[in-house]
Amino acid sequence: MNIPLVDIKAQYESIQDDIDSKVQEVLHSGQFILGPYVQKLEEEIAAYCNTRFAIGVASGTDALLLSLKALGVGPGDDVIIPPFTFFATGGAVHNAGARIIFCDIDEETFNIDTEKLEEKITIKTKAIIPVHLFGQCADMAPIRDLALTHNIHVIEDAAQSIGALYNGKKAGSMGDTGCISFFPTKNLGGYGDGGMVVTSQEHVAKRLSMLRVHGEEKRYYHAEIGINSRLDGLQAGIISAKLPHLEGWSEKRRQNAAKYNELFANSVVRTPVIHEKNVSIYNQYTIRLNNRDEVMQHLQSKGIACAVYYPKPLHIQECFSYLDYKPGDCPVSEKAAEEVLSLPIFPELTDGQIETVAKAVLEVAR
Ligand SMILES: *Cc1c(COP(=O)(O)O)cnc(C)c1O
């Protein structure tokens, strides 16, 4: 018996006719870079996320980098991020030329701790990047209040959270920009790299659409220097074909999570905490365990896939040693890194499989 962490193949086979005909359509159109399929997806994602604009880019990582550039964040500026996140959040800030300031996370939600945020803000702070980790939005109300008071930009890293709600608002629609990833294992995954920036600010949208094509204002005339970061027509067509299924898939993930919660009730397994303001899309179902490594090995020996997101917080990564953080500086993130384990939660998972996974966890969790 094998239970994978995600089953991209099963999902493809469940909508194969739609995908195959869309791929054929794009191939026959000859429109491979930006073009009508990307424009259509941009309109669909903007409508889905409740923003005025969406700009297709090459990846979620580039969505972050281009957001920083479009908002004028660069050398001399500080950007506050949580250290418990995928590497791209930090990499983008560095590559924009700004300095990373780490702010520890909340013990319950794994998202940036808004209680610790204000003390990190200085005259140099130009932006905050709250990460909506594992499918649940960060506590955006206090973040927005602080940003407004101190005149700071907010860039939502919504790479794991398309469709998630906070006080009824869509992830990505609450900051200056929201960054979405279409990496294959995200909830709305393409069959290659892809990403999008959503925003309701027209001047930001305009700048983003120039920056993704070398800063081109009109063909061969460059107002500033951008990069090459374009979404392609095949990915856009595929993602358009998948979008109508997204709400159903997210609902199925929530049902799977509820089933796990039930099976882990009254045990030593600490299940995900979703705040009452939030509706999670469960990109991950991440539990906390005192003997995580033991449980992980046990699951693996039974053919059950699981993963540690993330084993090493960014503030103690070797490449960021120049920032002079040390172990102990973000203790909540460091503790999470030792205790977290993400279990299969994908929509196609059966109740029987969920029971098998939960049983295996409970056999060794202490
Ligand atoms: C996946 C991810 C990204 C980067 O997206 P890519 O499309 O892989 O470049 C950024 N931030 C977070 C939190 C992610 O999970």
Side-chain angles (χ1 to χ4, degrees), residues 59-61 64 85-86 88-89 131 157 159-160 181 183 186 194 310:
S59 67
T61 303
L64 290 163
T85 176
F86 178 61
T89 318
V131 180
D157 185 339
Q160 299 184 6
S181 167
F183 185 77
K186 305 287 158 105
Y310 296 92

Side-chain angles (χ1 to χ4, degrees), residues 11-296:
Q11 188 182 78
Y12 166 60
E13 284 164 4
S14 74
I15 51 170
Q16 186 171 354
D17 290 348
D18 289 358
I19 300 283
D20 289 1
S21 65
K22 187 55 80 175
V23 168
Q24 288 300 317
E25 191 188 317
V26 178
L27 291 180
H28 284 292
S29 80
Q31 305 277 342
F32 298 130
I33 300 292
L34 297 178
Y37 294 97
V38 171
Q39 206 179 331
K40 179 166 173 284
L41 180 68
E42 288 173 341
E43 285 161 17
E44 290 167 352
I45 295 290
Y48 182 78
C49 290
N50 264 318
T51 58
R52 289 177 63 206
F53 308 98
I55 297 91
V57 298
S59 67
T61 303
D62 279 1
L64 290 163
L65 176 65
L66 289 169
S67 288
L68 289 160
K69 286 181 176 291
L71 292 166
V73 181
D77 299 327
D78 284 355
V79 178
I80 302 173
I81 67 169
F84 192 65
T85 176
F86 178 61
F87 184 78
T89 318
V93 176
H94 174 94
N95 286 329
R99 182 178 172 86
I100 300 168
I101 303 292
F102 291 109
C103 176
D104 208 355
I105 56 164
D106 172 66
E107 174 110 36
E108 287 193 332
T109 61
F110 303 114
N111 284 327
I112 198 162
D113 185 347
T114 55
E115 304 265 299
K116 295 189 186 127
L117 196 49
E118 189 156 27
E119 67 201 48
K120 307 283 176 196
I121 296 172
T122 70
I123 192 83
K124 291 179 111 181
T125 310
K126 195 76 181 275
I128 303 169
I129 309 183
V131 180
H132 305 322
L133 207 68
F134 302 150
Q136 169 170 228
C137 288
D139 194 4
M140 290 302 289
I143 294 170
R144 282 166 52 122
D145 285 349
L146 281 172
L148 209 63
T149 308
H150 297 274
N151 199 19
I152 297 168
H153 295 301
V154 177
I155 297 167
E156 296 178 68
D157 185 339
Q160 299 184 6
S161 294
I162 185 168
L165 297 174
Y166 173 89
N167 278 341
K169 291 203 180 72
K170 281 270 169 70
S173 71
M174 297 171 276
D176 292 86
T177 69
C179 301
I180 292 164
S181 167
F182 301 124
F183 185 77
T185 60
K186 305 287 158 105
N187 287 29
L188 184 63
Y191 296 147
D193 273 315
M196 207 164 268
V197 183
V198 291
T199 181
S200 288
Q201 297 170 24
E202 192 164 12
H203 65 285
V204 177
K206 217 168 180 174
R207 197 163 178 198
L208 283 163
S209 42
M210 293 196 294
L211 285 169
R212 72 175 168 180
V213 287
H214 298 295
E216 209 171 59
E217 215 170 4
K218 57 180 187 183
R219 202 84 178 112
Y220 304 127
Y221 288 81
H222 301 260
E224 62 179 327
I225 301 163
I227 59 173
N228 172 9
S229 180
R230 303 171 297 208
L231 186 60
D232 68 82
L234 274 170
Q235 297 310 326
I238 288 163
I239 295 157
S240 278
K242 283 181 145 199
L243 183 58
H245 300 279
L246 181 59
E247 282 295 307
W249 287 333
S250 296
E251 189 49 42
K252 190 67 185 12
R253 285 170 181 269
R254 284 190 285 270
Q255 286 167 14
N256 292 345
K259 174 103 189 162
Y260 273 127
N261 289 345
E262 220 174 274
L263 294 165
F264 290 135
N266 307 314
S267 78
V268 291
V269 178
R270 280 166 284 163
T271 54
V273 178
I274 307 301
H275 269 199
E276 59 197 18
K277 291 174 185 166
N278 283 313
V279 177
S280 175
I281 60 151
Y282 284 100
N283 180 243
Q284 301 297 341
Y285 181 88
T286 304
I287 58 173
R288 296 182 76 136
L289 299 156
N290 301 320
N291 59 337
R292 190 266 315 277
D293 292 345
E294 225 176 311
V295 174
M296 184 162 62

